[in-house]
């Protein structure tokens, strides 16, 4: 989950979200994810949402 702006000790600050999204996109490209694929995730705040948003960009179906 992306940290609240006032979180004392950062775990996943919003400033890191784009780097994580890019890394997810790179991995999906490496796996050649596309129109014939189904991606499944829990839809939790943070990386799950980034993953779920990236899959349709490659043509994959997504199930939350």
């Amino acid at each position: 989950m992306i940290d609240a702006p006032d979180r004392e000790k950062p775990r996943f600050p919003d400033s890191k979200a784009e780097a994580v999204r890019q890394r997810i996109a790179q991995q999906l490209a490496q796996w050649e994810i596309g129109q014939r694929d189904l991606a499944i995730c829990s839809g939790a705040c943070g990386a799950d949402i980034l993953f779920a948003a990236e899959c349709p960009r490659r043509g994959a179906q997504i199930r939350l």
Side-chain angles (χ1 to χ4, degrees):
M1 179 156 96
I2 295 175
D3 296 339
D6 60 346
R7 182 175 173 83
E8 268 188 51
K9 189 174 182 181
R11 287 185 303 185
F12 186 6
D14 187 52
S15 63
K16 301 292 184 183
E18 180 58 21
V20 172
R21 187 205 62 77
Q22 288 178 11
R23 183 63 185 101
I24 289 169
Q26 289 172 353
Q27 189 62 57
L28 293 173
Q30 183 178 344
W31 288 336
E32 299 179 357
I33 298 299
Q35 292 182 342
R36 299 181 67 187
D37 295 304
L38 172 64
I40 301 171
C41 69
S42 69
C45 297
D48 279 10
I49 297 294
L50 296 173
F51 173 79
E54 205 54 44
C55 288
R57 290 185 180 137
R58 300 191 55 80
Q61 297 290 314
I62 183 78
R63 296 286 186 265
L64 299 176

